[in-house]
Structures are given as C-alpha cells and as structure tokens.
Amino acid sequence: MLCGPPCPIVGHFIPAAAARPRRSTTPARPPQSPPSRPPAPDAAPAPFKNIDPAFLRAKEDPASEYCLPYAWGTVGIFYNETVTGPIAGWADFFAIPEKTGGKITLLDDMREVIAIGHVMNGTSVNSDDPAAVQAATDYVLARKGAVSAFTYEGPPLPTSGDIAAGHFFVGGNVFFTETPNIKYVIPAEGGTMYQENICVLASAPDKKNAMKFMEFYLRPEIAALNVAQQFNGTPNLPANDLTPEAIKSNPNINVGPETLTRLQIFEDIGAALKLYDRAWNTIRTAQGMAPLLEIRAARRTFVTPEGGHLAALDGIDLDVGANEFVTLLGPSGCGKTTLLRAISGFETLDSGSMRLDGADLTALPPFRRPVNTVFQSYALFGHMNVARNVGYALEVAGLPKAQRETQVTEALQKVGLAGMGARRPGQVSGGQRQRVALAPAIIAKPRLLLLE
C-alpha cells in the first residue's frame, strides 16, 4: 500500500521488510531499469574483467556495460545443533518443534517463504501459474503451526536459545564465528540465491566517477574485503583466492557447482506479483480460521474537477486477522481514507467485495456494519460534555440511562479520562480530545475499529 504521487492505492501490498534498507545478506531484487543506456564513451571497463560470466545476467544490461555484479549468496537454515542434531533440509527443519520442542522462525519475506513451497513441490520460485502458487502456499500453510514467528531478527535468536533454528541469509554466519554449535545449511531439497549489482544510471550526474568506483571495486583485494566482512560470495574470480580460509573452505558460503544446481534466483514476475500478495496475506493471517476482514479486488474511481478519472482504489486485496493491528501508510491523497470509508460503508465500491466474519459487507449501509470509525476530525459535539459525547450512540439506541452511565464510565477509564466526563471537548487538551473521540468508537464493542 505504499505509493507515490499521483498515488492511487494499487493492489500490491509490499511487506514492510521489502522496503527497509538491508545489508548485503538480503536477496537482491532485479536491478531497476535506468531510463536509457549511458552513452558509449562512459561504458564500464571491458567487459568487467575478473567477473565470472555466469553472473552477467542483468536483463537491463545485456552487453554488461554498466551493471557490475559484486556479491551473491544463499538463503538457508541456521540451527543450534546441540538442540536439533544434524539438519539436512526443509523436512528436518519443520519437524524440529515436534521432535525437540524447540522453536523455528521463517523470514518475514513474501517471496522467500512461498519459495519454500515451490522448492518442495518442484516448481519455479518465479512461477506465474495460479495453481502452482496455491500449491506452494498450501505447503507453507500446512506447516505454519510449527512456525513461531516471521521475522528478520533471526541471527541472535539461536545463540540466546530463543529458537532452535531459523530461516535466514548466508551473511548471518558473521554472527556465529565463535559459536560452533550454530550451523548453516543450504537445504538438500533446494533453496534460493541472490545477486547484487552496482549499476550506473543514465541520469547519474557524474558517470565517469561512477565508473571509476566500479573499477576500484573490480580490484580483487577490494572484492575480497567485502566477502570477509559480509560472509557472502563474490563473482570476482581472482578475489576468491584472497578470501579468508574459513570462508573459502565453507561449502555453504563458497558454494560448489552441484549445490548451485539446487538454487533458484528471483526474477521480476510483473503482474503475477498479485498472486503472491494474496498468498502472503493468507499465510500471515491464517490462524486455523478465515480472516476477520477479507477484501478482494476493491476498486473505487472518482471523477476529477477537470473531467478525468482517478482510481483511488485499484484492485485492492487485503486480509486482516482477528486481533491484528494493520497500518495503511502512504502520502496524502493516495487512497488511505477512501479504503477506510469503503470498509465502514461511507464509500460505495465500483467493484470488488468485502467480507467481515465471513459475511458480505459490500451492500450493507454503515449503520448495519459492526465497524466503528475514529475520524481524523474527531467529529465531537462541542455543546455536549465529554460523557454525553461518549454515550451519545447509546442514547440514540435507547439504552437506559443507568446502563449508559456505567458503560461511559468504563470507556473513559479505558482511554485514561476518568473523572473528565463533565468537561466540554474544548476544555481538554488535543491529545485528550483524541481519546474522547476513541471512547465512543470502542463503547459499542465493534468487530473492527478503524482509526483515520
């Protein structure tokens, strides 16, 4: 739901992890295409001498002129051998909780997690076949009960004893140089690998200096320093001879040809990403029951003052589980409020569906939805005191005064405003007014609470 201006919300939900900055132990996504190729005089050193040709795979740079491969690695399993015994692959990994009572974690990464299902089913991690994606999702769902968490905080946990094993990037080895009981294995059934490139954009203000930097990075001793620091692989062939012996001799870091045949690398899957978004929502919210809120292909278009059309919601898919807190993040005008208003019934979808507790909300008016909203403007009555503002919906509903007063008192206590019921909204601070607005929303005990 992150988008930039002009920013309609689109139906691609990017996991928080996919947007955060990462060190080189993270899976490289395909390099971003520059607007056009840099002029020939600024081309990179011909043609990236020292680089293993197998890594010259950037589709945006087929002639290998301005995208330099500088690091690569694998994604596998870290495990505390003292607890688990030897681990060979995914089957052993998912059996750990039942066999040992130890906990396991998976990466909080949509494609890495679903890739496990693809690998175990013998399908491509880049598949755009809905049946293959569903089968991969089903594989993960069948084992989700064994998973304690989806997290990027993997490396410290086996050492502290919080988990017995975790799914993580090969660079995590840097944390375990002095803990020989913590092992890393590339699953026997197969896994994923990543590659990271440095690319000079056509819009770069100083291409010559950018190319000089790449020439510097092509030096074997410099590439070897990166390996020593990050515990990943290097495509720089001479650099391999300069890396520390502990890395050079580790077959799970310095991977051999046979192991490479078991690894797949992610590619841009275009519109098929929607299949993975939907699958990931299902995996994250699955608790042995259907999601609390289920939105499918929600679309809402507005006519602009100039006579054009703006798709504020464009094919939104979203699952929200019970007891889950979800934040919609994006710049002003990107559709956050439109989505909230559609959920609460104040906006009518052009197409798509919404279900709450399995019941279809799409055509229900706001007053028939078990949904309450705290509006951005608070929507408080200035002529009423705090207590009457909080209990007004109960008053309209005809609840007896004594019951209203009891529930209002409880609600004010919950939001930290006990004893302030007699004040007017203008007689409390801004933060307290926000809590006054929250109290009426929770007093009716809605199934879903929306905070604008």
Side-chain angles (χ1 to χ4, degrees), residues 76-87 103 154-185 231 250 252-253:
I77 300 166
F78 283 94
Y79 62 97
N80 185 336
E81 191 173 37
T82 305
V83 176
T84 66
I87 295 294
K103 296 180 179 179
L157 301 180
T159 307
S160 65
D162 290 311
I163 65 172
H167 174 212
F168 206 69
F169 309 103
V170 64
N173 278 287
V174 72
F175 297 101
F176 305 122
T177 56
E178 298 181 5
T179 50
N181 60 310
I182 307 297
K183 310 287 188 181
Y184 175 76
V185 64
F231 278 60
N250 188 327
N252 286 308
I253 301 176

Side-chain angles (χ1 to χ4, degrees), residues 291-300 313 316-319 328 335-364 369-371 448 450:
L292 174 68
L293 175 68
E294 183 179 8
I295 300 175
R296 291 291 177 266
R299 182 174 177 81
R300 181 70 170 100
L313 305 178
I316 291 292
D317 291 330
L318 176 65
D319 288 344
L328 308 180
K336 302 183 300 294
T337 296
T338 302
L339 181 57
L340 294 181
R341 287 175 59 83
I343 294 169
S344 59
F346 295 111
E347 288 288 351
T348 302
L349 295 177
D350 299 327
S351 60
S353 64
M354 294 187 177
R355 303 182 73 85
L356 186 66
D357 279 330
D360 192 352
L361 289 182
T362 313
L364 287 181
R369 301 186 183 202
V371 177
L448 190 67
L450 306 177

Side-chain angles (χ1 to χ4, degrees), residues 128-149:
D128 59 2
D129 177 8
V133 176
Q134 184 60 57
T137 303
D138 291 343
Y139 179 90
V140 176
L141 285 173
R143 291 153 183 81
K144 187 185 174 185
V147 179
S148 293

